[in-house]
Structures are given as C-alpha cells and as structure tokens.
Amino acid sequence: MAKYMPAYGMMLIFSAALVVCNKKLRRYLNVPGTTEKNTRGRPEIDRLQLRQFLLQSLEEGTIKWNSRLRSVEEANGKISLHFDRGTVTGFDLVVGADGAWSKVRPLVSDAEPIYTGISGWQFSILNPQEHHPDLFALVNRGSLFAFSTGNAIIAQQMGNGSIGVGRWKVLPEDWQTKAKFDVRSGEAVRDALLDEYQDWAPELRTIIEVMDTSHIMSRNLYMLPVGHKWTHKPGVTLLGDAAHLMSPFAGEGVNLAMKDALDLSEAIIEAVKSGDKASLDGQVQKSEEAMFRRSKRVQQLTYDIMSSMFFTPGAPDTCIETCICQAVTSEMNPILGTTMSVLVYVYYFFFRLFGWGGGHK
C-alpha cells in the first residue's frame, strides 16, 4: 500500500468536494472543494489519519494490543471480559465500543444486525495524482458517488494519497458463496466488474481498470433497527456501531461515534468531580438518552438515502431530488424544510428540462 503521508492528509481536512452522478457521469450534484478558510462547517479527514491523531494523544500502554475480546459474561452483578490474554473483571463501567458484532451488546439488548440487502467490494487506487491524473481530478480530493439502479461506485480521496473505492450492489446475503468466480481474487473481481460495467462511462470504468488487485475486501453491509435503544443498565453502556450500526450512505457514522464518546467522557468526568460514585449511573443514563435521540435521526436519514438510491427503479435519474431533500432538510424546522424542498424540486425540473449535468449519451 502507499506510504502514509501526514502532510498530504492534513490538506484533506479542508477538502469536501462532492459529485453525485449516474452511470453516464451526468452530474446531478457537483459541489466544489473547500479551503482552510471555508469548510462549509463539514471538514473532512481520513479515518486512518484521525485514528493516528487520537492514538498519539494517549499515554504509552493505554491500549492493550493483540488482545481480542472473545466473550462477556455476567454473574452475581459482576461483568467478566474474556480476552485472548486472560479474563479481567471488577469495573465500575464497561463500555461496548466493539463494533457491529459487539460482544457487550447482549448485556443490554437482544437486537442483532440486519442485512441491508447491499454488498460489494472495497479496494484502492494507488498514487492516482501521478499515475491517473484525470481520475484524481474527477474525485477532486473529495468524494464521487456514481449510481445506477441497485448499483454504485463510490470513490473517496484518502489521507495517504490513494483513492478508496467501494463498489456496492443489491445482492442476496449469500452472494459470495454463489459467485461464479473467486470473490477474493483481485484479478477475477476486476475482470467480472469490467464485464458488468460495459455500459458505464469510460471515466468510471477506469476506476475499476486501475484498481490495486493485490488488496481487496468483499463485504456485506448490515444495520441495527432504526431507533435502536435499550433500557438503561447500571455498569454497562454502548457507543458507535455497537449502539447504532447503520449503512454508510449518510456519511455520519464516525461523527456519531465521536459525539457518543465525547458525551460519555463528559458524563464520567462529571461523576468523578462530584465525588459521588453512585452519580456515575445517572450521568451515563443521561448520555445514553441524548445518544438515542441523535442516532435515530441519522439512522433514519441513511436508511432513507439507501432506499432512494439503491431500491428505487431508475435511480438516481428518477429520485435525485428526493434524496437531496432527505439529506439537506433532516435538521431543518418544518417551514424551512418545506421551502428548501420546493426549491430543490424546481431546480431539478429545469435541470431535466435543459439537459444540465453533462455526461455521456
């Protein structure tokens, strides 16, 4: 993989270019990149880079690496965590931040991840600025979303200079076992996709042609029910995907997880400051209630966008205004949201009437 380049990655904090198009590269949304002085309130940063920043802020030894959590047990009011390196117990609070298939979640909830109906591959394009400048310019240090009915190619600039790509499609959950080629072979995947994407714009086919075949990942996408929550239980809580797993199409998952962690940390700090150990439970419950309200809105938004762009016939050509309205009005009051929706629908009426957006015939 390309070498990590922090100087380049820092520039990405101020890059939020966005293109939403159909398979012929007709641009239904074409948002230019941002600058350090104007981030539009939504600065971007690569997850790997963010992870590095957070890790570097911790004291040596804070994280115990190579010690996977295998199971969680509760007996006589005490929670035991069974790791590869042994069992530990005796906590005031166990925080399940262990992702989609959380081992901690069953302590508070019977909910299990549900298959979204969408699967695919993730792969990279290495050093596009030097080797594929046209593709680099197309992504524009931001994100490109290309949709066709039940199918999408999503490309995003990464902090190490590469472009990360997700190819997502409506597929049965067991598609990997029924595929007629090796779904873990980069060469086989590339050839199969090139055959499938014959009628897509040449620029979008290039994304597949130049993929790094040495490292691909096949994935099914899962979600927890919209509005997932639990009855508060002293001594344990969840955050991030463990609490509100969702599809990635609203682009808010990491933002939510960071807010979860911030709220929880403030709750713990307040309990410690009070000097009353019993107050921890009340503080944690308060942070959970705020998380439930916050995450439900985003869970609904990403579900609506996913439904519009993957399960609507003719998407995005037939439903782009619906999707845009879902995205931009989710936090507006009803009057402003209605006004914005009218403007969006009027704009796309003229967009179609005058053939705006370019693209291939």
Side-chain angles (χ1 to χ4, degrees):
M1 298 295 290
K3 185 178 179 181
Y4 175 67
M5 296 187 294
Y8 186 91
M10 285 299 292
M11 290 192 295
L12 290 178
I13 296 176
F14 306 110
S15 177
L18 174 64
V19 172
V20 178
C21 62
N22 66 9
K23 68 180 182 179
K24 298 299 185 181
L25 205 60
R26 186 181 187 186
R27 291 170 170 83
Y28 284 93
L29 190 64
N30 193 5
V31 180
T34 58
T35 66
E36 183 173 352
K37 294 182 179 180
N38 177 22
T39 66
R40 292 194 294 270
R42 291 181 60 88
E44 296 283 338
I45 185 171
D46 185 348
R47 290 187 185 189
L48 176 60
Q49 191 177 16
L50 175 61
R51 180 172 178 258
Q52 287 296 112
F53 291 158
L54 295 175
L55 289 175
Q56 290 167 6
S57 71
L58 300 175
E59 294 183 4
E60 189 72 24
T62 300
I63 296 178
K64 307 298 182 184
W65 298 104
N66 301 316
S67 187
R68 182 176 181 180
L69 179 65
R70 293 296 181 176
S71 63
V72 179
E73 289 182 328
E74 183 181 20
N76 301 319
K78 293 185 177 180
I79 298 174
S80 297
L81 306 179
H82 301 288
F83 294 93
D84 286 339
R85 295 184 176 182
T87 298
V88 291
T89 189
F91 306 100
D92 293 322
L93 178 65
V94 173
V95 181
D98 50 340
W101 306 101
S102 171
K103 301 292 195 304
V104 181
R105 188 190 300 124
L107 293 179
V108 297
S109 172
D110 294 329
E112 295 184 355
I114 306 163
Y115 180 50
T116 62
I118 299 171
S119 297
W121 289 277
Q122 290 179 285
F123 52 88
S124 297
I125 299 170
L126 304 183
N127 200 3
Q129 187 171 18
E130 179 180 351
H131 299 306
H132 313 289
D134 291 344
L135 181 56
F136 181 82
L138 177 63
V139 177
N140 192 21
R141 296 196 303 116
S143 299
L144 168 74
F145 293 77
F147 292 98
S148 181
T149 302
N151 205 335
I153 295 177
I154 299 175
Q156 184 177 35
Q157 183 72 62
M158 308 305 289
N160 63 2
S162 69
I163 291 176
V165 181
R167 179 278 195 176
W168 305 112
K169 186 177 181 179
V170 176
L171 291 167
E173 190 172 8
D174 61 351
W175 68 278
Q176 297 188 54
T177 61
K178 294 183 177 181
K180 297 180 180 180
F181 58 93
D182 184 355
V183 299
R184 291 175 177 79
S185 164
E187 291 80 4
V189 170
R190 179 192 58 203
D191 293 345
L193 291 181
L194 286 175
D195 184 60
E196 178 181 344
Y197 285 76
Q198 289 184 29
D199 62 338
W200 285 52
E203 297 90 334
L204 298 175
R205 280 176 53 85
T206 298
I207 293 175
I208 299 168
E209 291 171 351
V210 303
M211 66 184 285
D212 174 22
T213 58
S214 67
H215 184 72
I216 65 167
M217 179 187 299
S218 56
R219 289 189 61 190
N220 289 7
L221 298 182
Y222 292 85
M223 59 178 282
L224 285 169
V226 173
H228 173 246
K229 61 181 181 179
W230 57 90
T231 300
H232 175 71
K233 181 172 183 176
V236 60
T237 191
L238 307 173
L239 57 79
D241 283 351
H244 42 66
L245 177 68
M246 64 190 77
S247 70
F249 304 111
E252 293 283 357
V254 172
N255 296 341
L256 275 180
M258 291 183 67
K259 179 60 174 172
D260 296 344
L262 178 62
D263 280 4
L264 181 59
S265 68
E266 291 176 343
I268 295 171
I269 290 170
E270 284 300 314
V272 172
K273 284 182 176 179
S274 72
D276 179 9
K277 187 175 180 179
S279 70
L280 176 62
D281 182 51
Q283 292 289 346
V284 171
Q285 184 173 9
K286 188 187 301 183
S287 72
E288 286 176 341
E289 291 170 353
M291 177 176 63
F292 296 153
R293 294 190 295 270
R294 181 172 60 243
S295 62
K296 181 179 180 180
R297 179 191 65 79
V298 180
Q299 283 180 300
Q300 188 64 60
L301 174 60
T302 193
Y303 180 82
D304 290 343
I305 292 175
M306 179 183 73
S307 299
S308 294
M309 300 304 272
F310 283 92
F311 297 99
T312 301
D317 309 275
T318 57
C319 64
I320 185 62
E321 51 270 85
T322 299
C323 185
I324 296 297
C325 289
Q326 289 165 344
V328 302
T329 65
S330 63
E331 294 187 78
M332 294 180 178
N333 65 56
I335 295 177
L336 184 58
T338 299
T339 302
M340 180 61 70
S341 295
V342 170
L343 293 175
V344 169
Y345 273 85
V346 169
Y347 171 79
Y348 282 107
F349 171 80
F350 288 105
F351 183 95
R352 293 185 176 90
L353 181 65
F354 295 111
W356 296 342
H360 298 268
K361 299 297 184 182

